[in-house]
């Protein structure tokens, strides 16, 4: 999907690719930094408390982003035993929260900057990418942050979700769900994006 832009609109390709790399990196760093601050040394042991994209971007996940329009970064390893229930919840929620904060910051900048130019295009792209990441990751299905947040809130359900994630077919089922539910997910993302822009009088 994105690869087609490489020949049709190289500048757009570069902007979107850079926005994805930045946003995925910040998302994973937020998980790692929060877990580290709350007392879990696991992310630091794996070198994940860093803003270096090479530590967070997954080769297969990045390739899927370029080809299919959706993919993934390397999950940050955390040890819930070091964090407890609420620490695990905050370490998990930190990723989507970081994307929401970036989107709001972009919306604020759009509200105070002139309504044309490359800077506006970049800000709109970064805003859109971060809304997509935040909304997508908050879906409460296995392998996504929303599932782990739900699991921290309801421990008995969390154990069942963790068991499902351990199954070899779980990734394929999640990908199938995303494909089948792409239209309603897209509608939700569009609604949230419109709300964020409207919040600061842009759009």
């Amino acid at each position: 999907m994105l690869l087609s832009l490489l020949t049709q609109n190289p500048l757009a390709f570069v902007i979107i690719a850079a926005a994805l790399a930045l946003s995925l990196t910040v998302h994973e760093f937020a998980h790692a930094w929060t877990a580290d601050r709350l007392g879990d040394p696991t992310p630091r042991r794996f070198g994940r408390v860093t803003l270096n994209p090479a530590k967070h971007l997954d080769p297969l996940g990045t390739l899927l982003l370029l080809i299919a329009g959706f993919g993934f970064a390397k999950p940050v390893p955390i040890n819930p035993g070091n964090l407890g229930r609420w620490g695990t919840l905050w370490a998990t929620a930190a990723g989507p929260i970081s994307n929401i904060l970036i989107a709001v910051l972009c919306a604020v900048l759009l509200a105070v900057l002139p309504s044309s130019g490359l800077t506006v295009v970049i800000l709109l792209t970064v805003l859109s990418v971060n809304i997509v990441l935040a909304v997508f990751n908050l879906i409460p299905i296995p392998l996504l942050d929303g599932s782990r947040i739900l699991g921290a809130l309801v421990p008995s359900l969390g154990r069942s979700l963790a068991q499902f994630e351990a199954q070899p077919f779980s990734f394929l089922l999640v990908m199938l769900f995303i494909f089948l539910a792409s239209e309603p997910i897209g509608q939700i993302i569009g609604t949230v994006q419109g709300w964020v822009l409207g919040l600061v009088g842009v759009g």
Side-chain angles (χ1 to χ4, degrees):
M1 184 179 292
L2 290 181
L3 280 179
S4 62
L5 284 176
L6 192 54
T7 54
Q8 297 172 6
N9 191 336
L11 179 59
F13 174 85
V14 170
I15 292 172
I16 295 172
L20 283 167
L22 166 70
S23 304
L24 286 169
T25 296
V26 171
H27 179 103
E28 299 303 332
F29 168 76
H31 285 311
W33 182 85
T34 304
D36 183 68
R37 294 289 293 178
L38 292 176
D40 181 15
T42 310
R44 186 170 294 277
R45 220 168 30 238
F46 282 84
R48 302 300 297 276
V49 189
T50 176
L51 284 169
N52 179 0
K55 294 291 187 178
H56 299 294
L57 298 180
D58 182 272
L60 176 59
T62 302
L63 183 62
L64 282 173
L65 274 172
L66 295 175
I67 296 174
F70 65 87
F72 52 88
K74 296 177 185 176
V76 172
I78 64 172
N79 184 349
N82 293 328
L83 293 169
R85 177 183 175 187
W86 299 111
T88 300
L89 186 150
W90 282 112
T92 302
I97 288 173
S98 72
N99 297 129
I100 292 169
L101 291 176
I102 292 174
V104 171
L105 174 61
C106 288
V108 171
L109 291 175
L110 284 167
V112 299
L113 290 176
S115 59
S116 63
L118 181 60
T119 300
V120 173
V121 173
I122 293 172
L123 287 173
L124 278 172
T125 302
V126 174
L127 183 149
S128 297
V129 165
N130 278 276
I131 288 177
V132 169
L133 289 176
V135 174
F136 178 74
N137 276 283
L138 287 173
I139 299 172
I141 60 174
L143 302 179
L144 299 182
D145 293 332
S147 170
R148 295 178 179 130
I149 292 171
L150 182 61
L153 292 171
V154 187
S156 59
L157 182 58
R159 287 189 288 272
S160 298
L161 291 169
Q163 289 173 357
F164 175 83
E165 289 187 8
Q167 301 301 315
F169 56 80
S170 59
F171 177 78
L172 293 177
L173 287 179
V174 170
M175 291 299 101
L176 178 62
F177 171 83
I178 292 169
F179 174 76
L180 294 175
S182 59
E183 185 173 343
I185 291 173
Q187 291 174 348
I188 293 171
I189 289 171
T191 299
V192 174
Q193 179 173 322
W195 179 80
V196 172
L197 291 171
L199 193 65
V200 292
V202 178

